[in-house]
Amino acid sequence: TKEHIDKALDDPSWSVRSAAIRHPNTTKENIDKALNDHDWSVRSAAIKNPNATKENIDKALRDRDEDVRHSAIRNPNATKEHLDKALNDPSWYVREAAKERSK
């Protein structure tokens, strides 16, 4: 349930938090919580979730870590507006992913 995933997202182990956010029952709220995690790999796993919403992707595209932003733009739920924003990202890695998705 959302509550179980939420509890796992409080675990001290990054691997537990990362596994929890990959669960198919993950909600927008779970993803929001994981996008605030101190570990970039948990944030990156969160935005790869197919349940990520437009708002989740917006938030991930503002992340300080380029791997999180790269994962956000590769999410199938990313919109044209997300792609446009990513094309102006300071990281070539993120810009290239946006170009690839724009094709």
Side-chain angles (χ1 to χ4, degrees):
T1 67
K2 176 194 177 305
E3 291 75 24
H4 291 108
I5 295 168
D6 219 32
K7 183 174 179 167
L9 290 174
D10 290 330
D11 195 274
S13 170
W14 69 267
S15 61
V16 171
R17 296 190 313 274
S18 188
I21 202 59
R22 288 184 176 100
H23 194 278
N25 290 342
T26 299
T27 66
K28 175 195 182 301
E29 292 78 19
N30 295 137
I31 295 170
D32 275 340
K33 181 175 182 173
L35 287 174
N36 290 326
D37 198 278
H38 67 276
D39 190 297
W40 72 267
S41 64
V42 175
R43 297 192 312 272
S44 184
I47 203 56
K48 289 177 183 174
N49 191 297
N51 296 334
T53 65
K54 177 188 179 308
E55 293 79 15
N56 296 139
I57 296 169
D58 286 339
K59 182 174 184 171
L61 285 173
R62 293 188 303 271
D63 196 275
R64 66 186 172 275
D65 190 278
E66 73 177 4
D67 287 317
V68 176
R69 297 191 313 273
H70 181 265
S71 294
I73 205 57
R74 294 183 50 92
N75 186 299
N77 298 330
T79 66
K80 181 184 179 322
E81 290 77 23
H82 293 128
L83 293 172
D84 290 344
K85 180 177 182 176
L87 287 170
N88 293 315
D89 195 274
S91 166
W92 67 268
Y93 184 50
V94 176
R95 291 192 309 272
E96 286 301 311
K99 285 180 195 174
E100 195 60 36
R101 284 286 317 274
S102 295
K103 292 181 181 177

